[in-house]
Amino acid sequence: MTQTAAPTDADTDTDTDGTDTDGAATDLTPAQAFDALYAYAAPALVRQAYLLTGRRELARESVERAFQLAWQRWPEVAVDRDPAGWVRAAAYEYAMSPWHRLRLRHRSPEPPPAALDDRRLLSTLLNLPPVYRRTLLLYDGVGIGLAETAAETEASTPAAANRLLYARATVARRLPELAEKEELRRRLAELGGTERLRTAPKPVVVRSGSERRARRWTRAAIAFTVLIIGSTAFTLHTAPDHYEAPQAPATKVPGVPPRSGPGPLSEEDLELRATLRGMFGKGPERLVPQLR
């Protein structure tokens, strides 16, 4: 008597083509996929942005702006081979923008970390040039490869390696206890963990903020386009449509006397004019035509 094998989970759940037999949808909507990426990457990105800038509020703002940009370009981000890396690059670029130093609230330093070791390490990182700081954080802090670090920092692989070696040497010179790579990586992973770093708002708030920002930029672009079109139309309407030669300057013609008008009256002329105006104004002395 033979026994039949019990059906496996793969036999009951999927057909031969790999689709679900019960017809349940497994694909996420764009909003759900964005929310999942946000929940996965946002907390770590805020801590990394804090290590780059030393500012808690700027770190939160950088991550929020990066995710807003990702939602605006979600068709591009969704098919990227590393969506979290795409958002990370955008957050780093915003956090390290030199324009932040012109903002009033960023001119005064923020309170340092409470722990002495964290203060020393953060101060050492902030004293590094920005591109060296970013290279060190990507390779030893985040743990991505050297080629990926070079690509994200827009440098060649040898240049990224030289920056990494310089950053490590600087940290080891100021903090000898972090000369070992493993110890440096551990401290970078722990740095900022005890700080009260607020993440960006909920993903639905980030998505709505991104949509509002996109609408504002669209309206501004439309208004600017209308202004350009109106200015061009006004210029075409008022500009001359044919060439008019400039008038030659006046020159004196030989042998022709200059134009002159009557000169001012003398005292005798003024008296005579007054006498003539007073005579024959009324009375029979005035010449009156007579009919014959």
Side-chain angles (χ1 to χ4, degrees):
M1 182 176 181
T2 60
Q3 295 180 352
T4 58
T8 60
D9 294 339
D11 297 333
T12 56
D13 292 344
T14 59
D15 293 333
T16 56
D17 59 352
T19 58
D20 293 344
T21 56
D22 56 358
T26 58
D27 294 336
L28 298 176
T29 64
Q32 292 173 340
F34 176 85
D35 295 351
L37 177 63
Y38 179 87
Y40 168 75
L45 285 180
V46 172
R47 188 184 61 82
Q48 296 168 23
Y50 173 70
L51 299 185
L52 288 175
T53 62
R55 294 184 173 275
R56 300 167 180 84
E57 188 62 25
L58 179 58
R60 183 204 62 80
E61 181 182 351
S62 301
V63 175
E64 181 180 354
R65 290 294 180 86
F67 273 100
Q68 287 180 351
L69 183 62
W71 180 242
Q72 294 175 11
R73 303 180 182 179
W74 186 248
E76 171 189 348
V77 178
V79 298
D80 192 271
R81 64 186 183 89
D82 184 14
W86 194 101
V87 180
R88 179 181 63 239
Y92 283 15
E93 289 292 338
Y94 184 87
M96 305 188 71
S97 173
W99 296 106
H100 293 309
R101 69 186 65 178
L102 302 179
R103 303 169 67 179
L104 293 178
R105 64 178 180 177
H106 291 164
R107 293 182 180 179
S108 57
E110 287 191 359
L116 177 60
D117 293 340
D118 291 347
R119 289 201 303 268
R120 294 173 59 193
L121 179 54
L122 182 61
S123 176
T124 302
L125 291 176
L126 296 180
N127 287 330
L128 290 172
V131 66
Y132 291 82
R133 190 189 322 153
R134 182 174 181 177
T135 302
L136 179 66
L137 179 61
L138 286 173
Y139 189 81
D140 286 335
V142 181
I144 65 176
L146 185 60
E148 291 79 5
T149 300
E152 191 162 326
T153 55
E154 298 180 353
S156 63
T157 303
N162 290 332
R163 292 171 181 174
L164 178 63
L165 294 176
Y166 175 84
R168 284 177 174 175
T170 302
V171 174
R173 185 171 61 254
R174 297 185 179 182
L175 302 174
E177 65 274 13
L178 299 182
E180 295 293 333
K181 293 185 295 184
E182 297 301 327
E183 182 64 18
L184 175 60
R185 292 175 179 176
R186 186 186 65 82
R187 292 289 293 115
L188 288 175
E190 295 177 352
L191 182 59
T194 58
E195 296 296 316
R196 291 186 175 181
L197 300 177
R198 297 188 301 113
T199 58
K202 296 181 180 180
V204 62
V205 179
V206 176
R207 285 191 278 109
S208 60
S210 175
E211 294 167 358
R212 287 195 303 269
R213 182 179 295 273
R215 286 194 295 267
R216 287 197 298 266
W217 278 106
T218 302
R219 293 168 183 170
I222 293 174
F224 183 74
T225 304
V226 171
L227 178 62
I228 294 297
I229 294 175
S231 302
T232 304
F234 177 78
T235 303
L236 293 176
H237 179 72
T238 58
D241 56 356
H242 62 279
Y243 174 74
E244 296 181 359
Q247 295 184 355
T251 58
K252 184 177 180 180
V253 180
V256 179
R259 297 179 58 185
S260 61
L265 299 177
S266 62
E267 294 183 359
E268 296 178 356
D269 295 336
L270 293 175
E271 293 178 359
L272 178 60
R273 186 179 63 179
T275 302
L276 292 176
R277 287 179 177 178
M279 294 176 60
F280 307 112
K282 298 179 182 180
E285 293 85 0
R286 185 171 182 177
L287 297 179
V288 179
Q290 297 180 358
L291 298 177
R292 293 183 180 181

